[in-house]
Amino acid sequence: VSTNLTSRKAQRVPTKAVSKEIERIDQLFYTYADGSSSMIDPEGIETLCSHLEVPHTDVRILMLAWKMGCEKQGYFTLDEWRTGMKALRADSISKLKKAFPELVQEVTRSSNFQDFYPYAFRYCLTEDKKKCIEIPVACELLNLVLSLQFRPQVEKLINYLKHQNEYKVINMDQWMGFLRFCNEINFPSLDNYDADQAWPLILDNFVEWLRASEN
């Protein structure tokens, strides 16, 4: 009987600890949540960022949104918050700060980055049924999510996007093409770029522009 009691007690302890952790996670959420919507809105996120001592445009905030599975740009729901904070084992600002380096490592792992990169695009679609992002937003986003790994390519690509007049917006297919280009094409030689290989037209134009500016 005594062993049964002991094992039942042992099972109860972690559950208690977990519910305490969730309580702290929830308390942290309500520190930043807007009272009427019960969500952390853009203003709440700015306050959160100032407490984390990171700019709200920092890529780590986008990584945090990815970890939470946030669906709407600039808003965190309680469920999303719980998902992210439990995964990061963070129930305080100091623990969340400490979790950032590990989160960055996690996102930049190739398999996760394949998921994070299109997520970043979808996260920037501010209205329902919107399929494209404007060129200035695309340039900012490329700088944010791709320049860590592919700075030379991204600098040229942003330069091209700002100077061309054919495209006003970028769609998901083009966005994914940028990543494939950075992963597959020798840069700056471009010697393995083959326009017959079903690249989005914008990349054919980009390569043409690059070659012309080289000459």
Side-chain angles (χ1 to χ4, degrees):
V1 178
S2 67
T3 49
N4 263 350
L5 270 174
T6 318
S7 67
R8 277 215 299 275
K9 268 186 186 166
Q11 280 167 352
R12 258 204 328 261
V13 174
T15 320
K16 225 175 184 178
V18 166
S19 65
K20 275 279 179 229
E21 186 193 26
I22 290 183
E23 215 174 279
R24 287 194 297 272
I25 286 172
D26 287 6
Q27 274 174 346
L28 193 58
F29 176 84
Y30 288 112
T31 309
Y32 301 102
D34 172 71
S36 57
S37 70
S38 294
M39 286 199 283
I40 299 179
D41 61 10
E43 209 174 300
I45 291 175
E46 284 208 24
T47 310
L48 172 67
C49 291
S50 74
H51 291 168
L52 288 167
E53 296 170 334
V54 297
H56 68 279
T57 51
D58 192 292
V59 70
R60 287 169 296 181
I61 300 305
L62 187 56
M63 289 173 174
L64 185 60
W66 171 79
K67 192 69 179 165
M68 291 184 198
C70 291
E71 289 196 358
K72 192 176 177 194
Q73 187 184 23
Y75 294 88
F76 298 162
T77 67
L78 179 58
D79 279 348
E80 290 167 348
W81 180 263
R82 280 177 179 165
T83 300
M85 295 300 132
K86 280 197 289 193
L88 294 167
R89 298 181 301 282
D91 57 13
S92 67
I93 286 294
S94 60
K95 282 184 188 168
L96 185 50
K97 270 188 192 174
K98 282 185 187 143
F100 272 150
E102 205 178 304
L103 177 61
V104 173
Q105 268 186 319
E106 184 189 342
V107 171
T108 43
R109 254 186 251 128
S110 179
S111 55
N112 290 330
F113 195 78
Q114 287 293 340
D115 186 63
F116 171 71
Y117 182 77
Y119 171 82
F121 181 91
R122 287 192 304 271
Y123 190 67
C124 286
L125 299 172
T126 44
E127 293 148 37
D128 292 344
K129 298 192 177 139
K130 201 177 168 191
K131 294 272 194 297
C132 301
I133 57 177
E134 289 70 25
I135 291 289
V137 177
C139 291
E140 270 179 57
L141 200 56
L142 280 168
N143 194 31
L144 206 58
V145 300
L146 262 194
S147 66
L148 280 170
Q149 294 148 282
F150 303 105
R151 181 163 294 283
Q153 292 95 314
V154 169
E155 280 178 358
K156 291 284 189 195
L157 187 52
I158 288 174
N159 201 358
Y160 164 72
L161 289 173
K162 284 180 174 171
H163 285 90
Q164 57 77 39
N165 298 312
E166 286 173 78
Y167 302 92
K168 297 277 181 278
V169 294
I170 295 296
N171 63 31
M172 179 66 96
D173 186 47
Q174 293 162 332
W175 178 253
M176 294 310 291
F178 298 157
L179 177 62
R180 187 183 145 210
F181 176 89
C182 290
N183 276 323
E184 293 178 17
I185 301 305
N186 300 333
F187 195 85
S189 73
L190 310 172
D191 57 3
N192 63 338
Y193 187 85
D194 179 358
D196 296 333
Q197 272 191 342
W199 289 97
L201 185 60
I202 194 169
L203 278 156
D204 293 342
N205 296 346
F206 170 54
V207 169
E208 236 172 77
W209 176 84
L210 274 175
R211 286 176 172 152
S213 58
E214 288 300 304
N215 301 331

